[in-house]
Amino acid sequence: MRFLNIIRHAKAENDYSKNDFERELTERGQEDCKFLDSFLFRYSFKKHKILCSSSIRTLQTYQNLKFSLNEKSKIIFTDDLYLANLKTIYELIKKESRSYMITIIGHNPGLSDILSFFIDEYDIPDLKTSSVAQIIFNDTNKINEGDGTLKFLIQSKNNEIISLS
């Protein structure tokens, strides 16, 4: 693997009468996704592998970003990413590591943990909603702790792209 994109889902409703898995994006979350889609489009992602949690909010995040992520990409929806920890995410990535690029759409704290793990920086802030981090691996055969370099870490919020790195 050469590139890993880590995307935390957009802002979800705080309706705790619903099952957490079924919480939907808020209007602001939808807007943040649209702005993020425009930003990511300039990277012209080639066809690649996308792993997406099967929760409603991550599915909706993907639906809003599929244009920039390249609609021809192979998408795998999996319950294994729902609130997954670092080890689970790492194993999913390793399984797909022959791909040139992988995008993961999921949840915290697992996403923040895997970001810190790959770039070997444990004092960076947790990923906020509608955040994207891109990691580059110089040696495509090595995807272990500290083997990645952070290319960018941004958040879409209120029609702005905010650099978090």
Side-chain angles (χ1 to χ4, degrees), residues 71-151:
E71 291 180 277
K72 294 179 182 172
S73 295
K74 170 128 174 90
I75 178 82
I76 299 169
F77 298 105
T78 176
D79 290 344
D80 292 341
L81 272 174
Y82 176 64
L83 303 179
N85 62 28
L86 182 145
K87 184 176 180 187
T88 301
I89 296 170
Y90 180 68
E91 291 302 321
L92 288 167
I93 291 169
K94 272 183 29 181
K95 218 187 303 185
E96 303 296 338
S97 65
R98 285 177 284 145
S99 298
Y100 181 74
M101 180 187 295
I102 298 172
T103 295
I104 293 192
I105 304 172
H107 312 268
N108 260 350
L111 292 183
S112 292
D113 292 344
I114 200 75
L115 171 62
S116 293
F117 175 79
F118 280 134
I119 65 171
D120 199 23
E121 284 186 37
Y122 293 90
D123 58 350
I124 62 174
D126 282 347
L127 291 172
K128 300 178 186 299
T129 55
S130 300
S131 291
V132 179
Q134 186 175 72
I135 301 171
I136 300 172
F137 295 89
N138 291 325
D139 183 341
T140 57
N141 296 315
K142 290 178 67 180
I143 58 162
N144 297 305
E145 185 172 12
D147 286 338
T149 303
L150 184 64
K151 182 172 181 186

Side-chain angles (χ1 to χ4, degrees), residues 19-59:
N19 178 315
D20 181 67
F21 191 85
E22 296 172 354
R23 290 191 303 130
E24 298 183 41
L25 296 183
T26 63
E27 188 175 319
R28 186 186 119 201
Q30 298 277 354
E31 289 300 313
D32 289 343
C33 277
K34 289 176 189 167
F35 200 76
L36 186 58
D37 194 46
S38 297
F39 173 82
L40 292 175
F41 183 73
R42 68 179 165 172
Y43 285 92
S44 300
F45 289 132
K46 294 179 179 175
K47 186 176 161 185
H48 68 289
K49 184 101 30 132
I50 301 170
L51 306 173
C52 184
S53 164
S54 51
S55 75
I56 300 298
R57 60 191 178 272
T58 49
L59 294 172

